[in-house]
Amino acid sequence: MRNIILLFSLSILLFYANTSGATLQPDADTQVRLKKFEQFVASQMAREKIPGLSIGYLQGQVMWAGGYGYADLENKVPATATSSYRLASVTKPMTAAAILQLVDSGKVALDAEVQSYVPYFPKKPYPVTVRQLLGHLAGVNAYVNPQLEQHFKEHKNTRESIAVFENFDLIAEPGTRFRYTSYGYNLLGAVIEGASGMSYSDYMTKNVWEPLGMTTTRLDDPYDIIPERVRGYQLQNQQIKHAEFIDISSRFSAGGTRSNIVDMLKFGEGIIRGHIASQGAQDLMFESMVTDKRKFTNYSAGWLTNPVNGRFSISHDGVQPETSTYLFCFPSHHLTIAVAANLQRVNTSLFAEQLFEAITGEAWDKPLYFHDAQDRVYYDAMKAVFNEGNAYFERKQRAYLDEVNEREMLGAAFSMFNHHLKIVALKSDTKQRQLFISEAQHPAGGLQLRKLGSYMAKKLHDAHHKLPAYSNSTAIAFFHDYIALYKKDSTISASFRFDALFERQVAQLYADWIKTSHIKLTKHDFDIQKYLKPGTPTTVSDKELSKALAILGQTMEPALQGAAVAPDYLDDLKMLTQDLIRNGNASHALQIGVLAKELYPKSDAALALAGVLEIFTGNKSKGINSLKTALNLNPQGKASAAGLNDAAYELKGTSGPEAGLTILQAGIELHPDDVNLYDSLGEFYVALAMNKKAIYAYQRALDIKPDYPNAKAVKKIIQELAAGKN
């Protein structure tokens, strides 16, 4: 990994281009932010031990793309913007675009049964339609035998790929349940072939890839000579190893392509601009599908459709052996971001999020801490309204309801929201409090959040408020400014206003937010990151680092004390603890954990972080107490069995299985009947060659639940350990 970091400055091979032929670079301010982003890339690649990564964006006439680290670690081949990665499931939106193109040309009907185009696919108890396949609503199963189906070594054609799953039973009646499945998209690849009379590869090349200038995109083939093909890797016991050889032809139209980020960007731009299919097809890609119960699935025809901090976006990720990819499109920003890494199971979205912030200056998200749980409930409602409503207005440039012609329905949306807020104020049934938000975003719930929020966004837009600014100032400011607007504008009907109690609550939260929102981790020229060098031991003295951490506390604590709302920097603090532990500074990591607990005393995540670090550094009793307090605050949070299991694996990754073992043991003390904790405990004991203890842990898991998901594998492990135990 040290070699990767040393190469970093040499392998940032940037690519600037645009379709008009001119070469445009980002503006000066953006270039400054991009330099800082590149520092983040270096640090994060070291943290995740990523050999090579390529990332870039296309916005308007500017394309910026670069490669970092190695495309081939053994031969020291740098990763570049044109390195060729497996795209994995980023193939799916391409397949969906081709299907919708065929719908436009009249060769495919969305509601036709799949057998109209793939006659050899067996009939099921219910009809399976093309539309349902596009939205993962067809009831088609995913992998039934992953050990076999995810590890094919032989090349398969379309018919052989369909044969893998064609006799599987449907898992649900089509339309009733969302089930993400690559097999459904393999069927769509067969539909393309049946409807067009061409092979999937030929159709995509002629009708999708070449028209968009995607000259390097193709089906992957392990035997072909593919220019700039990256070598794929995996982590085994935190060591970089070659990825398992798998021929992915069996996933041809669901995850069988290979390309570079430049082509990925061109595809995203083509979708945004409608260069591949009609406006109607674009609408199908931009809007989530619904179940027969009229619930959004947050998946359209080929894309994830979750709003991002009030912004309209579509995206898709991809993970398979050798690769991790992500493609984000922000149509209203005319912005596409693509990232690919040659290490499987990498959090590629984190790189895309940081790049988005560097490009736009807008926060991807703005985590907030609330001292009072009731304020958190208020905010969750506000954020849901902002997310749904602002994203809709951004996409359509209009409110969902017209205040003149649909006045009664709009008034009903405000009335329902006000009723919900009264329930919150009364602190009545928790389930009832949550029901409004969980239901009101769906068509079944009347799309109340969309109606409400898009009207607010329109009014603010018409009053010359800059809607993108709310990504930084949060939903609190969105509501505050709307309330201030209608108090000055008598033309806004009383039906479209909030009750007085909520207005006062918003005013108080806004006042506190103004006081605390400027607080950052970088204050008085202090930046903890400068004390840490990714991948190398720190050379800073304990005294110097302790002083720096003291400054951090002295800066943040007075500003946050007594505030109802404040920026939540817990993720940043946690990342610092991980870096410190990697650099052999566990005591200073604990110092940050204690600071987190002091800054955010009502945060279960902060208390759990402190508890884990207290246990890790040898103070088990104090750590258990911190975890118990966290558990009381949120039984499903970071001190839950699942949360502590995750913490154990994180520590195992930074400090080895012995460190993680202490957290599992504490977790079992708090959750004595959790099967998964005992299963993980057995795995950690095996890693430490403590076979007798591993057998005990695995057997305890079986005693608690004999048929738990991993039981069959565990029984085999116990037999193998018993045969060689000492």
Side-chain angles (χ1 to χ4, degrees):
M1 282 310 301
R2 189 167 187 270
N3 289 336
I4 294 174
I5 301 305
L6 288 174
L7 179 75
F8 180 82
S9 61
L10 302 177
S11 65
I12 306 173
L13 306 180
L14 298 180
F15 181 95
Y16 300 97
N18 68 63
T19 53
S20 68
T23 299
L24 296 180
Q25 296 187 10
D27 61 53
D29 289 343
T30 303
Q31 289 193 49
V32 170
R33 292 196 297 266
L34 288 171
K35 287 293 183 185
K36 188 172 182 180
F37 165 73
E38 287 169 349
Q39 294 170 7
F40 164 80
V41 171
S43 298
Q44 195 61 23
M45 287 180 70
R47 288 186 187 103
E48 298 197 47
K49 298 186 177 180
I50 301 171
L53 179 137
S54 299
I55 188 168
Y57 75 90
L58 176 58
Q59 185 174 41
Q61 293 184 310
V62 176
M63 180 186 286
W64 178 97
Y68 306 87
Y70 289 115
D72 183 333
L73 199 53
E74 285 180 321
N75 297 299
K76 303 296 185 290
V77 178
T80 71
T82 54
S83 295
S84 181
Y85 298 81
R86 284 182 170 179
L87 293 188
S89 288
V90 173
T91 304
K92 289 182 174 71
M94 297 180 186
T95 295
I99 287 286
L100 295 175
Q101 194 179 69
L102 288 166
V103 171
D104 287 343
S105 66
K107 293 181 179 179
V108 169
L110 281 172
D111 296 313
E113 290 188 50
V114 68
Q115 288 83 6
S116 302
Y117 314 102
V118 191
Y120 56 80
F121 186 71
K123 286 271 190 178
K124 302 298 178 181
Y126 306 96
V128 172
T129 70
V130 173
R131 187 192 302 272
Q132 291 163 345
L133 289 169
L134 281 168
H136 299 289
L137 285 166
V140 174
N141 208 345
Y143 301 114
V144 172
N145 182 358
Q147 291 302 314
L148 171 66
E149 297 162 46
Q150 291 184 332
H151 300 272
F152 289 126
K153 310 297 184 189
E154 68 279 3
H155 206 70
K156 292 185 182 293
N157 59 31
T158 299
R159 184 67 189 90
E160 291 166 338
S161 299
I162 303 300
V164 171
F165 66 93
E166 63 184 8
N167 293 317
F168 290 178
D169 293 334
L170 297 181
I171 60 167
E173 181 179 348
T176 64
R177 176 182 165 190
F178 176 83
R179 174 68 156 113
Y180 183 85
T181 167
S182 288
Y183 288 149
Y185 265 73
N186 273 358
L187 259 181
L188 289 173
V191 169
I192 290 170
E193 294 188 345
S196 69
M198 302 169 67
S199 71
Y200 174 80
S201 177
D202 287 348
Y203 183 88
M204 297 299 293
T205 300
K206 182 178 179 181
N207 296 283
V208 177
W209 297 331
E210 284 185 351
L212 293 178
M214 299 167 63
T215 57
T216 65
T217 306
R218 51 161 294 158
L219 284 179
D220 192 30
D221 191 320
Y223 301 103
D224 284 354
I225 304 300
I226 300 179
E228 299 192 74
R229 184 204 295 261
V230 303
R231 189 178 288 276
Y233 301 93
Q234 62 177 314
L235 286 180
Q236 289 184 355
N237 297 321
Q238 292 302 304
Q239 297 298 312
I240 297 175
K241 302 289 184 182
H242 287 296
E244 175 189 0
F245 168 73
I246 294 174
D247 188 310
I248 57 171
S249 56
S250 65
R251 315 176 196 185
F252 69 112
S253 53
T257 54
R258 183 177 285 274
S259 189
N260 60 41
I261 59 166
V262 173
D263 274 15
M264 290 170 69
L265 294 171
K266 290 176 181 177
F267 176 71
E269 176 75 356
I271 295 301
I272 289 173
R273 295 188 179 276
H275 289 165
I276 287 298
S278 66
Q279 178 65 54
Q282 191 183 59
D283 288 342
L284 287 169
M285 289 186 276
F286 285 2
E287 182 73 48
S288 169
M289 290 198 183
V290 296
T291 66
D292 65 338
K293 301 295 185 185
R294 295 185 57 73
K295 293 287 187 73
F296 281 133
T297 62
N298 295 322
Y299 196 97
S300 66
W303 296 86
L304 295 160
T305 58
N306 299 301
V308 175
N309 200 9
R311 288 176 290 261
F312 165 55
S313 74
I314 57 174
S315 64
H316 215 294
D317 65 330
V319 176
Q320 66 183 205
E322 298 189 18
T323 196
S324 300
T325 57
Y326 226 124
L327 180 63
F328 281 96
C329 296
F330 297 88
S332 303
H333 288 64
H334 294 287
L335 171 64
T336 300
I337 295 174
V339 56
N342 58 352
L343 180 68
Q344 58 203 53
R345 304 198 179 283
V346 168
N347 183 10
T348 45
S349 67
L350 187 59
F351 293 93
E353 292 165 14
Q354 293 290 320
L355 180 56
F356 177 89
E357 293 187 350
I359 300 162
T360 65
E362 300 171 15
W364 179 270
D365 194 14
K366 205 79 172 180
L368 300 184
Y369 166 76
F370 293 87
H371 193 76
D372 188 286
Q374 185 172 330
D375 286 339
R376 163 60 70 183
V377 177
Y378 275 119
Y379 178 71
D380 287 345
M382 289 190 282
K383 187 173 182 180
V385 169
F386 169 64
N387 251 340
E388 295 291 330
N390 200 69
Y392 182 85
F393 182 82
E394 185 180 276
R395 176 187 164 196
K396 296 285 191 178
Q397 289 298 296
R398 61 176 174 82
Y400 187 79
L401 294 177
D402 180 83
E403 64 181 303
V404 176
N405 299 320
E406 297 169 301
R407 186 181 189 86
E408 189 173 326
M409 286 190 289
L410 182 59
F414 275 87
S415 178
M416 289 183 69
F417 188 75
N418 280 322
H419 177 69
H420 167 70
L421 296 175
K422 288 177 183 176
I423 294 173
V424 172
L426 292 170
K427 296 186 178 181
S428 58
D429 182 22
T430 303
K431 289 185 178 179
Q432 191 178 359
R433 287 193 328 211
Q434 295 171 341
L435 186 63
F436 175 80
I437 299 304
S438 63
E439 295 295 324
Q441 62 183 316
H442 298 285
L447 296 171
Q448 305 296 350
L449 304 187
R450 182 177 291 186
K451 293 172 182 176
L452 186 69
S454 63
Y455 176 76
M456 294 170 65
K458 181 182 185 302
K459 283 297 183 182
L460 290 167
H461 174 266
D462 292 347
H464 307 294
H465 287 267
K466 294 181 179 180
L467 296 180
Y470 291 116
S471 63
N472 291 329
S473 58
T474 78
I476 296 173
F478 181 76
F479 272 77
H480 172 270
D481 290 354
Y482 176 73
I483 291 169
L485 180 65
Y486 69 59
K487 286 187 173 181
K488 291 189 298 184
D489 186 351
S490 60
T491 65
I492 297 178
S493 167
S495 300
F496 310 148
R497 303 185 180 202
F498 302 107
D499 64 34
L501 178 63
F502 179 66
E503 289 178 356
R504 289 195 295 272
Q505 196 71 24
V506 171
Q508 181 60 56
L509 288 173
Y510 182 75
D512 277 15
W513 175 240
I514 292 299
K515 293 176 187 175
T516 63
S517 60
H518 68 284
I519 302 302
K520 301 184 185 300
L521 285 179
T522 52
K523 198 73 172 172
H524 303 304
D525 297 322
F526 166 70
D527 185 351
I528 187 68
Q529 292 293 347
K530 73 183 180 183
Y531 294 92
L532 302 167
K533 297 180 179 179
T536 62
T538 180
T539 57
V540 179
S541 69
D542 283 353
K543 183 177 180 180
E544 190 176 2
L545 188 52
S546 293
K547 182 180 178 182
L549 293 173
I551 292 173
L552 180 63
Q554 291 163 11
T555 299
M556 296 184 71
E557 284 189 81
L560 302 188
Q561 196 167 22
V565 58
D568 185 345
Y569 288 116
L570 195 58
D571 284 346
D572 302 86
L573 293 172
K574 182 178 178 180
M575 187 175 290
L576 293 178
T577 66
Q578 292 171 339
D579 286 345
L580 285 163
I581 290 170
R582 285 190 186 93
N583 281 272
N585 286 297
S587 61
H588 292 110
L590 175 61
Q591 196 174 340
I592 290 180
V594 172
L595 174 63
K597 184 165 59 171
E598 292 170 351
L599 292 174
Y600 306 119
K602 294 299 181 71
S603 166
D604 74 282
L607 285 155
L609 176 63
V612 165
L613 291 168
E614 285 160 350
I615 292 168
F616 174 62
T617 54
N619 196 335
K620 183 180 177 182
S621 61
K622 191 172 184 179
I624 290 289
N625 286 335
S626 294
L627 293 176
K628 284 180 178 178
T629 306
L631 204 56
N632 288 332
L633 285 170
N634 184 2
Q636 282 76 48
K638 296 295 185 180
S640 66
L644 293 176
N645 193 68
D646 290 343
Y649 276 94
E650 287 172 359
L651 266 181
K652 179 176 181 252
T654 55
S655 298
E658 284 185 349
L661 196 66
T662 61
I663 307 305
L664 288 176
Q665 290 166 338
I668 288 169
E669 188 171 326
L670 291 170
H671 308 281
D673 295 321
D674 187 82
V675 171
N676 195 44
L677 286 173
Y678 278 106
D679 185 279
S680 298
L681 188 66
E683 180 185 324
F684 281 43
Y685 278 134
V686 169
L688 293 166
M690 302 171 73
N691 291 359
K692 288 182 180 179
K693 290 188 175 182
I695 291 171
Y696 169 80
Y698 281 134
Q699 189 58 57
R700 185 75 183 92
L702 292 171
D703 291 343
I704 295 170
K705 191 173 183 181
D707 60 345
Y708 81 100
N710 202 36
K712 186 176 180 181
V714 159
K715 289 174 184 176
K716 185 177 179 181
I717 292 171
I718 289 174
Q719 290 177 349
E720 292 172 350
L721 291 174
K725 68 180 180 181
N726 286 311

